[in-house]
Amino acid sequence: SYEVTQPPSVSVSPGQTARITCSGDALPKKYAFWYQQKSGQAPVLVIYEDKKRPSGIPERFSGSTSGTMATLTISGAQVEDEGDYYCFSTDSRGNPVFGGGTKLTVL
Amino acid sequence: EVQLVQSGAEVKKTGESLKISCKGSGFRFTFYWIGWVRQMPGKGLEWMGIIYPSDSDTKYSPSFEGQVTFSADRSISTAYLHWSSLKASDTAMYYCARLFCTNSSCSYDSWGQGTLVTVSS
């Protein structure tokens, strides 16, 4: 079955730029979406259609793609950005899949 | 305000049946697909499938086909996730989420608070 692959963890100091990657063979033709999940909370959509930001999401969150990789960038990461981040996309037939998640630590 | 409110935590025994609910408000419930997502303890998100409350059309992930059943009662804007015989491996948090579609894509833009299901022998 199709998979999108993320690193298990990313760690940055406050104010630094955090980059979380998502790799998948279908990403050149399928959109990537990014969800943030803070401890004990439901996921929140932070990026849709590769690079668009929903209303209410801080400008420091941005998305990009290059070939088979999508990247979530948090410019000037803050302690409040700590949590798990999930890439979401579909395979070539449109079947949805979540990445395994990346734990972001900001300290 | 778009809201999805899920039913409360459940503690059940293996072999028992269970139905949890997800009630929508602040939007036309019958105009949107509702998805279900599992999160096992300490693990990531897993897409289970979706239901269209207007006509109860369903699409299941192959991993969950035959293991669970989705249903909906559009008269009360509520979607359900049902197990006929629980297993210990069904212990997880379950989320419902609204599927919002534009001309170019669909994404889950609003989520319920989650329902924790604990199954023991």
Side-chain angles (χ1 to χ4, degrees), chain B:
Chain B
E1 178 193 7
V2 173
Q3 274 197 311
L4 293 169
V5 178
Q6 298 185 230
S7 50
E10 301 275 0
V11 179
K12 306 291 281 186
K13 294 195 179 298
T14 54
E16 292 185 330
S17 65
L18 174 65
K19 181 183 280 190
I20 63 174
S21 66
C22 168
K23 182 173 176 61
S25 63
F27 66 101
R28 290 287 294 271
F29 195 71
T30 52
F31 281 14
Y32 296 86
W33 290 83
I34 298 295
W36 289 95
V37 175
R38 182 176 78 174
Q39 187 167 37
M40 298 178 77
K43 302 298 184 182
L45 303 174
E46 299 174 87
W47 184 78
M48 300 176 70
I50 51 176
I51 183 167
Y52 193 59
S54 180
D55 60 6
S56 291
D57 188 16
T58 55
K59 300 179 183 179
Y60 293 91
S61 161
S63 300
F64 292 92
E65 182 101 51
Q67 307 304 307
V68 297
T69 303
F70 305 148
S71 62
D73 185 340
R74 62 185 187 181
S75 69
I76 55 172
S77 301
T78 301
Y80 301 96
L81 171 58
H82 176 249
W83 294 262
S84 59
S85 180
L86 286 161
K87 308 169 198 168
S89 57
D90 292 319
T91 295
M93 181 73 81
Y94 293 88
Y95 293 100
C96 65
R98 186 182 80 161
L99 190 65
F100 179 81
C101 295
T102 65
N103 288 335
S104 49
S105 75
C106 297
S107 59
Y108 293 99
D109 68 335
S110 293
W111 293 65
Q113 82 278 19
T115 295
L116 181 62
V117 174
T118 304
V119 184
S120 64
S121 54

Side-chain angles (χ1 to χ4, degrees), chain A residues 5-87:
Chain A
T5 303
Q6 302 178 232
S9 63
V10 168
S11 182
V12 297
S13 299
Q16 288 189 327
T17 296
R19 293 182 179 85
I20 300 172
T21 58
C22 173
S23 177
D25 289 341
L27 286 176
K29 294 189 175 181
K30 297 296 183 181
Y31 283 122
F33 301 80
W34 291 94
Y35 292 90
Q36 173 197 65
Q37 187 181 33
K38 296 183 179 180
S39 181
Q41 298 183 20
V44 172
L45 181 67
V46 294
I47 293 291
Y48 67 101
E49 294 181 2
D50 294 341
K51 58 185 179 182
K52 297 179 181 178
R53 198 173 50 247
S55 62
I57 300 302
E59 291 185 8
R60 63 181 179 273
F61 288 86
S62 63
S64 61
T65 61
S66 178
T68 60
M69 185 169 290
T71 302
L72 172 68
T73 300
I74 308 172
S75 303
Q78 301 183 8
V79 174
E80 67 208 52
D81 298 330
E82 280 198 341
D84 296 319
Y85 289 82
Y86 294 91
C87 174

